[in-house]
Amino acid sequence: MEEGSSAGSGGSGGSDSSTSGSGGAQQRELERMAEVLVTGEQLRLRLHEEKVIKDRRHHLKTYPNCFVAKELIDWLIEHKEASDRETAIKLMQKLADRGIIHHVCDEHKEFKDVKLFYRFRKDDGTFPLDNEVKAFMRGQRLYEKLMSPENTLLQPREEEGVKYERTFMASEFLDWLVQEGEATTRKEAEQLCHRLMEHGIIQHVSNKHPFVDSNLLYQFRMNFRRRRRLMELLNEKYPSSQETHDSPFCLRKQSHDNRKSTSFMSVSPSKEIKIVSAVRRSSMSSCGSSGYFSSSPTLSSSPPVLCNPKSVLKRPVTSEELLTPGAPYARKTFTIVGDAVGWGFVVRGSKPCHIQAVDPSGPAAAAGMKVCQFVVSVNGLNVLHVDYRTVSNLILTGPRTIVMEVMEELEC
């Protein structure tokens, strides 16, 4: 997509204006779609945290994980996400038009300021996964993994005398994708990178090259963690062409003169979103800064329930040991449907993570999950080489139904 525009004179050639114009329009549409998805997801997490989203009953029927339109409009105005009710309706209609929310019975396509139940499609598994959305969600997941404290792939680097923040080298990125189980072969990893580039998720630092298995530097075009305001949805002109502090789509060069205002590093992850991720619709409520989760259903700001931080494992186990042929471990797969409280288990550890605790009355226990089991994959994503924070984030921001593969010691 970007190759045609950069093949001329630095991406601003005048002879191929029709092609670059259509490509630019397509890129802007992808950017708008991505912004709506991120904004909608951040709103969903906040509404779960504040229990605006919850199970509700009407005519003796329970509708799980939904919100009342009229109450949500009150909430948006109270939290200064909308100036008035008319604006709030327009904002939620934007999410409805993009298929992010819908009426629980799909009887109303328009978002109305009445006592009707609506739901985020991600909470009921009906979110439309077209190619653009799949690429976006894949990119967001990779971004979160790369942003984990233990990952060092994203680094400040120089190319052609210019220093860029949070870059990754193409060849190293391909190695990492295969190592993390995101691709089975290097060729498959390269094809994934081409898709990410086509959908505007990654880009060469100076937009001069397509993705090539080389020492060239690339960056994510989006800061997925930037805190969005809902009012941005009504602004059709996203700041993709301006290298401003708030722009989620500009590539960040490191400025030696004014690093605070232009550096990508200055856009720090939102603490609010971290908190929401830790407590969203879960029997894993936050237990301090360590990220350890208890089985308390409390999602308020009351003092956290302290948990025993000592590992339940008898001895440390490595991922290599689990994967050794003939090792005394059996693979098991669980499909766990979260209830109004959550899934009812605790993940701890790193490379591999393990099940630290299971709520006897929760969905995980009913599915057969036990303590001391090692987490192999979550919804098809291999997690043997990540820490519990990454695994928790995958679960907390994913669908209500999760599929987990674990390995259990045969002697247990």
Side-chain angles (χ1 to χ4, degrees), residues 32-267:
R32 280 194 289 268
M33 185 248 344
E35 274 299 285
V36 175
L37 289 175
V38 174
T39 305
E41 178 63 7
Q42 290 183 357
L43 176 63
R44 184 179 75 93
L45 294 175
R46 291 178 67 193
L47 295 179
H48 272 292
E49 180 201 13
E50 300 201 16
K51 293 187 177 180
V52 177
I53 293 177
K54 58 185 179 182
D55 292 358
R56 300 174 186 272
R57 288 183 65 82
H58 181 67
H59 289 173
L60 302 179
K61 182 177 179 179
T62 299
Y63 296 87
N65 290 317
C66 62
F67 59 87
V68 179
K70 192 175 185 67
E71 292 178 5
L72 178 60
I73 290 176
D74 293 337
W75 185 91
L76 292 174
I77 295 174
E78 179 185 348
H79 288 76
K80 303 188 186 316
E81 290 288 356
S83 56
D84 51 57
R85 304 191 80 80
E86 182 180 356
T87 302
I89 292 171
K90 289 180 180 179
L91 290 170
M92 298 310 297
Q93 189 62 49
K94 283 278 186 180
L95 298 183
D97 292 342
R98 290 284 182 172
I100 294 173
I101 64 170
H102 68 121
H103 178 251
V104 291
C105 298
D106 290 318
E107 295 176 353
H108 302 274
K109 291 188 176 181
E110 293 184 358
F111 189 86
K112 300 178 180 180
D113 186 5
V114 293
K115 291 184 178 180
L116 288 174
F117 291 169
Y118 289 81
R119 183 186 292 127
F120 281 80
R121 289 191 178 276
K122 197 166 183 180
D123 282 335
D124 60 15
T126 62
F127 194 77
L129 295 177
D130 56 22
N131 289 335
E132 286 78 13
V133 173
K134 286 180 180 178
F136 168 81
M137 295 178 71
R138 189 77 175 272
Q140 183 178 30
R141 189 175 72 211
L142 292 174
Y143 180 88
E144 290 296 335
K145 290 177 71 173
L146 289 169
M147 289 293 291
S148 67
E150 296 180 355
N151 196 296
T152 58
L153 197 66
L154 299 182
Q155 294 287 342
R157 296 181 177 91
E158 282 192 17
E159 186 170 292
E160 297 182 351
V162 180
K163 190 170 184 179
Y164 299 90
E165 290 292 333
R166 290 192 182 178
T167 69
F168 58 86
M169 192 178 296
S171 57
E172 293 180 357
F173 189 52
L174 294 176
D175 292 337
W176 179 82
L177 288 171
V178 174
Q179 176 188 336
E180 291 294 310
E182 293 287 347
T184 55
T185 64
R186 197 175 183 81
K187 183 178 181 181
E188 184 181 322
E190 191 168 359
Q191 290 172 345
L192 170 60
C193 291
H194 286 305
R195 287 198 300 274
L196 294 177
M197 200 158 183
E198 288 169 4
H199 288 88
I201 295 168
I202 63 173
Q203 181 173 311
H204 177 251
V205 289
S206 59
N207 199 22
K208 293 180 179 178
H209 302 281
F211 189 89
V212 182
D213 185 358
S214 63
N215 291 337
L216 290 174
L217 302 182
Y218 297 81
Q219 289 175 314
F220 278 79
R221 299 192 70 215
M222 239 183 130
N223 177 10
F224 289 95
R225 293 184 174 186
R226 182 180 70 87
R227 171 77 164 81
R228 270 73 172 174
R229 300 287 299 179
L230 273 180
M231 288 297 293
E232 294 178 35
L233 296 180
L234 300 182
N235 179 16
E236 293 298 325
K237 294 182 180 180
Y238 291 99
S240 57
S241 60
Q242 304 173 8
E243 213 166 291
T244 63
H245 175 77
D246 290 327
S247 172
F249 289 102
C250 64
L251 297 176
R252 313 293 181 169
K253 294 181 184 178
Q254 180 173 346
S255 169
H256 297 285
D257 299 326
N258 190 11
R259 191 169 300 177
K260 283 189 177 180
S261 62
T262 60
S263 169
F264 190 97
M265 293 294 286
S266 68
V267 185

Side-chain angles (χ1 to χ4, degrees), residues 377-394:
S377 68
V378 176
N379 292 332
L381 176 65
N382 188 299
V383 294
L384 277 174
H385 302 285
V386 301
D387 64 8
Y388 69 90
R389 294 181 183 89
T390 304
V391 173
S392 297
N393 186 62
L394 284 172

Side-chain angles (χ1 to χ4, degrees), residues 292-312:
Y292 185 71
F293 299 101
S294 74
S295 300
S296 167
T298 304
L299 301 183
S300 66
S301 58
S302 57
V305 179
L306 297 178
C307 318
N308 179 8
K310 186 177 179 181
S311 173
V312 295

